[in-house]
Amino acid sequence: MDNAQAKKVILEFLRRHTLAVIATSHADGKPEAAVIDFSVRDNLEIVFDTFEQTRKFENLSDRRSVALVVGWDKNITVQYEGDAMKVSASDVQEYRRRILKAFRSRESLSRRAPCCLRSFLAGYDIPISPKTLSNV
């Protein structure tokens, strides 16, 4: 499977799901996990929102590293690892309009681009870098 095919398979898989588990780390280094609603853009960027009062928001404010797992049916998952970033005020409306229209409005939106995307789809273990994906 070449990168273009892998990207297509992964994008289709992600679009069939709306929930993921996100792992962040607390200031004391302990991991914390939570289920989130998410959406995916054509470039495989994951977009999610959270309340400012949540542990994940506090964790992401100080430590941007996250891991996400999407899927679990039939032992098929996509795993993301990378850095989260808060969507800028000037981009919030675009993200809400184009991607999160199905989600109810919340106080804060976060967006992240993967630094490493690893997929276990149909028996394939496909490491793909964002640089490679952006060329597809």
Side-chain angles (χ1 to χ4, degrees):
M1 180 179 311
D2 65 24
N3 281 335
Q5 292 170 315
K7 179 181 175 182
K8 181 179 178 192
V9 168
I10 293 166
L11 188 60
E12 288 172 359
F13 178 84
L14 291 172
R15 287 201 167 135
R16 287 194 307 268
H17 293 82
T18 59
L19 297 175
V21 174
I22 186 171
T24 60
S25 62
H26 188 267
D28 64 9
K30 290 177 19 181
E32 296 181 342
V35 175
I36 59 169
D37 293 321
F38 79 95
S39 184
V40 62
R41 295 174 55 141
D42 290 341
N43 64 357
L44 295 177
E45 179 182 59
I46 296 288
V47 179
F48 63 95
D49 60 347
T50 187
F51 290 103
E52 290 183 359
Q53 296 80 13
T54 64
R55 295 181 314 168
K56 70 181 144 305
F57 184 87
E58 181 179 333
N59 293 345
L60 291 171
S61 295
D62 296 327
R63 290 159 304 286
R64 294 177 35 193
S65 294
V66 298
L68 287 155
V69 178
V70 178
W72 38 84
D73 300 333
K74 301 179 184 176
N75 295 320
I76 300 172
T77 66
V78 169
Q79 301 171 9
Y80 270 62
E81 297 170 350
D83 293 325
M85 67 183 99
K86 189 172 181 180
V87 174
S88 68
S90 62
D91 290 338
V92 167
Q93 291 307 317
E94 175 194 350
Y95 276 83
R96 281 194 174 135
R97 185 182 72 246
R98 299 174 107 199
I99 298 172
L100 302 174
K101 63 183 175 185
F103 296 164
R104 63 186 183 274
S105 178
R106 294 193 179 166
E107 296 173 39
S108 174
L109 295 175
S110 295
R111 137 186 115 165
R112 66 175 224 73
C115 70
C116 175
L117 172 61
R118 188 176 180 124
S119 170
F120 296 94
L121 298 174
Y124 292 94
D125 180 2
I126 313 162
I128 303 171
S129 72
K131 184 175 181 181
T132 302
L133 290 174
S134 65
N135 294 330
V136 175

